[in-house]
Amino acid sequence: MNSDSASLPQVAAALPASAPARFRAVRQQTEALCRPLLPEDTVVQPVIDVSPPKWHLAHTTWFFETFLLREYLPGYAVYHPDYAFLFNSYYNSLGSRVNRADRGTLSRPPLADVYAYRAFVDAQMEQLLALQDTLPAAFQEVFELGLQHEQQHQELLVTDIKYILSTSPLAPAYQPAPPTPPPSAAPAARWLPVPGGVYRIGFQEEGFCFDNELEAHDTYVADFELQNRLVTNAEYLEFMEAGGYRDFRYWLGEGWDLVQQQGWEAPLYWVLHEGSWHRFSHHGLVAVNLAAPVTHISFYEADAYAHWRGCRLPTEQEWEIAARHFGATPAAGTFLESGLYDPQPLSPTAPASQCHQLLGDAWEWTYSAYHPYPGYQRAAGALGEYNGKFMLNQLVLRGGSCATPASHIRLTYRNFFHADKRWQYTGIRLAR
Amino acid sequence: MNSDSASLPQVAAALPASAPARFRAVRQQTEALCRPLLPEDTVVQPVIDVSPPKWHLAHTTWFFETFLLREYLPGYAVYHPDYAFLFNSYYNSLGSRVNRADRGTLSRPPLADVYAYRAFVDAQMEQLLALQDTLPAAFQEVFELGLQHEQQHQELLVTDIKYILSTSPLAPAYQPAPPTPPPSAAPAARWLPVPGGVYRIGFQEEGFCFDNELEAHDTYVADFELQNRLVTNAEYLEFMEAGGYRDFRYWLGEGWDLVQQQGWEAPLYWVLHEGSWHRFSHHGLVAVNLAAPVTHISFYEADAYAHWRGCRLPTEQEWEIAARHFGATPAAGTFLESGLYDPQPLSPTAPASQCHQLLGDAWEWTYSAYHPYPGYQRAAGALGEYNGKFMLNQLVLRGGSCATPASHIRLTYRNFFHADKRWQYTGIRLAR
Amino acid sequence: MNSDSASLPQVAAALPASAPARFRAVRQQTEALCRPLLPEDTVVQPVIDVSPPKWHLAHTTWFFETFLLREYLPGYAVYHPDYAFLFNSYYNSLGSRVNRADRGTLSRPPLADVYAYRAFVDAQMEQLLALQDTLPAAFQEVFELGLQHEQQHQELLVTDIKYILSTSPLAPAYQPAPPTPPPSAAPAARWLPVPGGVYRIGFQEEGFCFDNELEAHDTYVADFELQNRLVTNAEYLEFMEAGGYRDFRYWLGEGWDLVQQQGWEAPLYWVLHEGSWHRFSHHGLVAVNLAAPVTHISFYEADAYAHWRGCRLPTEQEWEIAARHFGATPAAGTFLESGLYDPQPLSPTAPASQCHQLLGDAWEWTYSAYHPYPGYQRAAGALGEYNGKFMLNQLVLRGGSCATPASHIRLTYRNFFHADKRWQYTGIRLAR
Amino acid sequence: MNSDSASLPQVAAALPASAPARFRAVRQQTEALCRPLLPEDTVVQPVIDVSPPKWHLAHTTWFFETFLLREYLPGYAVYHPDYAFLFNSYYNSLGSRVNRADRGTLSRPPLADVYAYRAFVDAQMEQLLALQDTLPAAFQEVFELGLQHEQQHQELLVTDIKYILSTSPLAPAYQPAPPTPPPSAAPAARWLPVPGGVYRIGFQEEGFCFDNELEAHDTYVADFELQNRLVTNAEYLEFMEAGGYRDFRYWLGEGWDLVQQQGWEAPLYWVLHEGSWHRFSHHGLVAVNLAAPVTHISFYEADAYAHWRGCRLPTEQEWEIAARHFGATPAAGTFLESGLYDPQPLSPTAPASQCHQLLGDAWEWTYSAYHPYPGYQRAAGALGEYNGKFMLNQLVLRGGSCATPASHIRLTYRNFFHADKRWQYTGIRLAR
């Protein structure tokens, strides 16, 4: 766990140290996220990417049951014989399962049963954790993976809930809006140089990382510059108003086709309301804050924006090298624990010579394919399907977002999505 | 209303006579059907044909609000400005609406809000009905249509709930199973002759009918014979065991393509369980009752079965002529009010010379296209979209089913579905 | 063969009497139709409905080879072992075959090989016909069917060639345009009454008919009226200019969906060229002749037009009864043999009391489903797949068109297409 | 042109030095490839990737007309006003065009007209080339690009013709088979080490390269090893026989889905014929030569094979570094000019210490995304759409194939295809 690692200073949101306490903290965080929901909200799947919250609650539980209780708790009997079929996500090793596109057709088991399943598994896990000193090292690894896995689903819960509520014309609020801060402009962006050379990237610290962050390896980059903050809504609006969505020259071919087919003309969730741009948020429909970082854009939009500015997106190597170079820490970023669920504007007084918003606020699209690092090895068994089989036709995103748990992020963390996805908190940092 | 008509004798399930009492009875019936459901069950739409129960509850309410309260109640203000968009089914006259395929993506408004909407509209309707003597004749017509419309949705609720619960591997029961009757074989089917000639068909009685039952008109049929009961599961199983699903010669071309694509080899809801045929029902998974009428088959299957037997399906003209000829009444049939939700076996002692099960138990596929009768006129305004625009590429079904309210059926009633639909209680009566 | 029948007077285009001469005449007619084509034109399949001319040439030949030579000519060896796979259309009885949608992907065998195949089969057929006195009655029936089948493909060749050439922006001409007649208006349409009653319809004459015209049977119709000519382009243009394509009230639901999806706003092949309506024809792009019958419209358009006029389409029973009542003959109609490939305007001097254009010029959409007649029996064996398996979700068209061989049409002829098809010469006759 | 460059020694197939002679040589090469085709073969498009040969012939001509004649030849008038619409491939800058999927529906203009178009443009180009000393430098660049572009389409002609002929069950031969060499086994593969370090890759020589080979830049690789020859059919067959196509563990997720959906169980063109593996080739159906390199496999298959062997695919950086390290030249490779259209087995006497088959024979899949090199700039104007807009979701292939003109390949050449494509001559070289 990198919350203990030297490279990431302690943040308020850090998890407790003891395994049972950490387990409880993570499990309760998930349920806290679902508390404002009605049972009806936990069932639907408006698009294939967005899973029903009920499914997230059950699937994360199935993970602990399958990989830990069944393996390590003597005499453990599965809670329900059909749940493996219902709540397996994508593990071929573990047999057949509900089609991903059909998750939103299942009203049963109801939410209350899923909570009962969680309570049962939690109680069994407490028993198992009481035995942890007697268990092999592999137990600790998979236990840690189970916590990290559930944190990943916490981020998905934030973004999936947002999407689910957004489909209703009623624009329901997940929670009341915080007090509106006085309007302010973001400070002008500034270019910060990073010297070229051979750098070592990938996970090199103590503690947990995903297999896709390994092996640490050397890479060469030439001199480059990075902007010292994320692109703002105000800047993105300039692109929109300059006709960026109507000029094919800025776009990759596939992106241009999508713009035509889908009629894109703004980020996801943006609507013109009484003549001004609003966006759907966890507080219902609100005015776009021009000083805040732009989010909910596809890679195609990020790349087209960069083209239009005469810049480009960074590679993941450049991003990681810069993040180390500038000593990025999660301390200043906006994460899940803030409860804000929106990236925050950079303070007008933020020092111009520092590189801001690298961790937290918004995932940053890189122009790097999600491919295996040199020396990458898939794990044996079902967990070998965790990451490796997705290593094609997706792009790496770096830095975490306002929906990521602060204790979950790392400088070396490699998130990945297809280039057309817009429902995550995805943003832009320019390079050149 | 044909519950008062001479041709249909009084049944226990008949509606009360006064308008407010009838309104209350119909509205309560709908809610009673939804009472066993969890909120989660009321949201999902596993296939496009199956609407969420929450939507049925709201849409039938919207109908009264739109066509009666807004038209006739002085000073009425709509309950919610977005509900027309959310709960309009298919009326182009009434503006844009949620895509039919997206009904299952809407978690909001939640079930409780929909019940509040119902309560509000019900209270307003009581006020309006208090004024009914002052209202024009058109009011009475549309009020009656509103009741009949809600009864149609009661049947859809029964079949849609069945489908929704069936998608879960948990095979949840909507209600406990009734005591199992002792096994019995259905009496052998017998052919009953009907003399040919010119007959008058279509609605000719007093009271309510849909516009598609008009105009009454003469038609000529040659001599024909009809079987005196519905085809049973035992008989249909013979077809299955004789390889009926594997021999293209019995099938219409489109039907054979479907059999291949969908892998059909039994009626909908049938599964082989420990070597014997079971079916999903409102009581969960139960053994197939061989004496009961086969249901949940497409027109293609009904037609292929008839072919294999060397017979054919009746036309809708033959069906109606026979039903009058044999004096069919709803008295003996199984309808919604029985609470059984399954067609019932014919009693072994049923008189062989009578024609049974014409009304109730299962809708009978006819080999008649759902086309306008001679002299048919679409109504003016939005209600002109009620029936007329669907008069192509669908087939007429006759007689009502165990999910039809008894007070809703008539000898002249024309139900209609596409040939591939299987989620209704559709069955077979042979002709030759 | 109805060219000899009393009900259809002799036309110039009648086929010769002797079997070998008739065989030669039909086979040469097919090849004459393909003579203006380049090899490239004979390969493509721009939409699934339109088969490559090369395929038509081979498939009609395969029919004679499969059903006659292989059955009746002693010692006959198939011309090529793969041709049955390549040129079987839809006979499940006869094994696997090229997917219908893939006919246009096959460049081989080339056109020259297909002609060689035709020549070989023709020569063998001559030998077989020399033996015809020794052959069973079934031979004569299938031989006749083979000729009629090839005539059906002659009509398809005319319409498929038109479609194929139309896809090129070069608007190539199949043949030079005939001299343009002086412009003239069609005489005003007049309503002609037909008395109701019980009539016998279906094939009752001597000679050949398709199985779908049987059994002849009684039917009852009420009094009705029919217009004495087809609807003209001028009349249809009034519908277009009155906004007919933009008002859902005239349309069946499926039709309105198609209008939206496909952007229909005129008949197939119509284009606005320098401000006036032109159409693609066998002579390239030409001005629309306002006096000529409208063609290339779907059933949905025919029905919407009739609605807009406050009329309706006839049923197939009405059409046939009227055609007999008015003594329709092919003498005055425009057929394939005219070489015009366009329906012709009614002469301004045509007697108003007669019913014109019943046979030839344009197929007339009826509002009758293509279902089996009472007593219809599918033939045994592969030929049982000729008609019966298509008897659902299609509509009957009557009367033949300018692309139908004159010797092929009958008063009782039932053509059938899906409601959305527009590439045949389909037109409108109004009823009320 | 790199045929003159120091890094690539002179091969027999080198192009002449003078511009008119080179132009003629390239243009004639294209037509020579089409000479064995019938007009029918030049029209069809059996899958979207495979363009009709007629279209290739015209599109390459349109390129010279559009980018050179219209720009530089005084008074030039376009040959036909519709040809830009018909033969533009994907240039948005140059207006609307035939949908790519519809290229195979166009029978017109016929092949003869396309050859006339070529002759006309060729004659005009001769006139223009006579003026070349007076033309700006940009002319030379685009002229060179036009030749390279036509060479790319020569390779596509070879592969598209193969696919087109393969769709026929007749298995027609494009040309007679060469004499069969005596069977021999390929020499055992050997691992050759390459030392890690910072290397310069990308085009650094004189002459022509595509913009995607620029800018030359430094990159770091760790020590790695490469096999000294391509994977053979015999080796690939071991993977097949070991159940490689039935075990998800070797596959990327998307690849495994494809294996299921498409039923892949061997390379494209392989069929079991009388119990042994054959493949469709330019000579019809022939036995698989076990000693020859495997080709016609997707990236997914290449990657799964490497996984199964416990190895991996090289990156494009590794490939290029190794190719320079081992001094790869086209001298020993099999290219288009050989007329063989099949990769050739490595000679049993080939020195084991050398790295063979790097250039020619088969394109080698790398595990590198086709992304822009550092400093890459799209060209201004329409030619900016040549490469840049495709730089996502495709993989780089290196080395050229038996269908590539020898004068077209370079060590730095970056070919690119989607991971599922199999109709090119794609093969495998293992790394570790």
Side-chain angles (χ1 to χ4, degrees), chain B residues 287-335:
Chain B
V288 166
N289 180 346
L290 294 175
V294 67
T295 51
H296 295 302
I297 50 163
S298 64
F299 172 83
Y300 298 115
E301 288 160 299
D303 179 65
Y305 175 82
H307 246 80
W308 174 75
R309 286 281 182 204
C311 307
R312 62 176 176 84
L313 302 176
T315 63
E316 69 164 323
Q317 288 80 16
E318 289 172 335
W319 191 96
E320 184 171 328
I321 288 163
R324 289 186 197 270
H325 181 74
F326 294 118
T329 79
T334 310
F335 289 97

Side-chain angles (χ1 to χ4, degrees), chain C residues 41-103:
Chain C
D41 299 324
T42 69
V43 181
V44 297
Q45 182 181 30
V47 292
I48 192 170
D49 296 313
V50 168
S51 292
K54 190 159 68 78
W55 186 89
H56 287 294
L57 287 165
H59 166 68
T60 47
T61 305
W62 166 86
F63 193 99
F64 285 108
E65 182 180 48
T66 302
F67 293 110
L68 294 175
L69 294 178
R70 293 180 62 174
E71 291 295 315
Y72 297 107
L73 187 61
Y76 181 76
V78 293
Y79 181 71
H80 193 292
D82 289 323
Y83 280 17
F85 177 80
L86 287 166
F87 302 126
N88 176 3
S89 52
Y90 54 68
Y91 296 88
N92 291 309
S93 313
L94 300 169
S96 66
R97 57 194 175 277
V98 170
N99 276 333
R100 186 178 176 190
D102 292 339
R103 290 177 187 163

Side-chain angles (χ1 to χ4, degrees), chain D residues 59-296:
Chain D
H59 166 69
T60 46
T61 305
W62 166 87
F63 193 99
F64 286 110
E65 182 181 48
T66 303
F67 293 108
L68 293 175
L69 294 177
R70 292 181 61 175
E71 292 293 316
Y72 297 106
L73 186 61
Y76 181 76
V78 294
Y79 181 72
H80 193 292
D82 288 323
Y83 279 18
F85 177 80
L86 286 166
F87 301 125
N88 176 3
S89 52
Y90 54 68
Y91 296 88
N92 290 309
S93 314
L94 300 170
S96 66
R97 56 193 177 277
V98 170
N99 276 333
R100 186 178 175 190
D102 292 338
R103 289 177 188 165
T105 67
L106 294 169
S107 67
R108 303 294 178 100
L111 183 60
D113 288 14
V114 168
Y115 276 120
Y117 177 41
R118 287 183 72 90
F120 177 84
V121 165
D122 285 355
Q124 301 285 306
M125 280 295 296
E126 298 276 352
Q127 288 187 29
L128 181 58
L129 290 170
L131 309 174
Q132 64 175 312
D133 294 343
T134 71
L135 297 173
F139 168 81
Q140 288 299 340
E141 282 172 33
V142 181
F143 172 65
E144 188 60 52
L145 185 63
L147 295 177
Q148 299 282 344
H149 171 258
E150 183 140 351
Q151 288 187 312
Q152 292 181 311
H153 282 273
Q154 287 166 6
E155 174 146 13
L156 291 171
L157 274 166
V158 172
T159 55
D160 291 1
I161 289 168
K162 184 172 185 176
Y163 197 100
I164 285 167
L165 295 179
S166 80
T167 63
S168 171
L170 307 174
Y174 169 77
Q175 64 183 20
T180 310
S184 69
R190 188 165 150 187
W191 290 101
L192 302 179
V194 180
V198 173
Y199 288 88
R200 191 156 196 81
I201 68 162
F203 189 70
Q204 307 151 48
E205 290 77 20
E206 293 290 301
F208 173 85
C209 74
F210 286 111
D211 59 359
N212 62 16
E213 299 167 55
L214 296 174
E215 302 183 353
H217 61 283
D218 288 340
T219 192
Y220 174 87
V221 296
D223 294 350
F224 67 98
E225 293 186 326
L226 220 54
Q227 280 202 349
N228 72 334
R229 63 158 170 74
L230 295 169
V231 168
T232 64
N233 286 321
E235 288 165 331
Y236 196 80
L237 197 53
E238 291 173 31
F239 168 69
M240 289 163 56
E241 290 174 349
Y245 281 96
R246 296 187 301 276
D247 191 333
F248 66 84
R249 290 175 304 155
Y250 307 126
W251 296 82
L252 286 160
E254 291 178 2
W256 182 244
D257 291 346
L258 267 177
V259 167
Q260 310 290 299
Q261 289 161 22
Q262 309 282 331
W264 286 352
E265 48 186 27
L268 179 65
Y269 297 132
W270 285 38
V271 287
L272 265 181
H273 181 64
E274 294 174 2
S276 72
W277 285 107
H278 286 62
R279 62 185 184 88
F280 180 77
S281 75
H282 286 79
H283 327 301
L285 205 63
V286 298
V288 166
N289 180 346
L290 294 175
V294 66
T295 52
H296 296 301

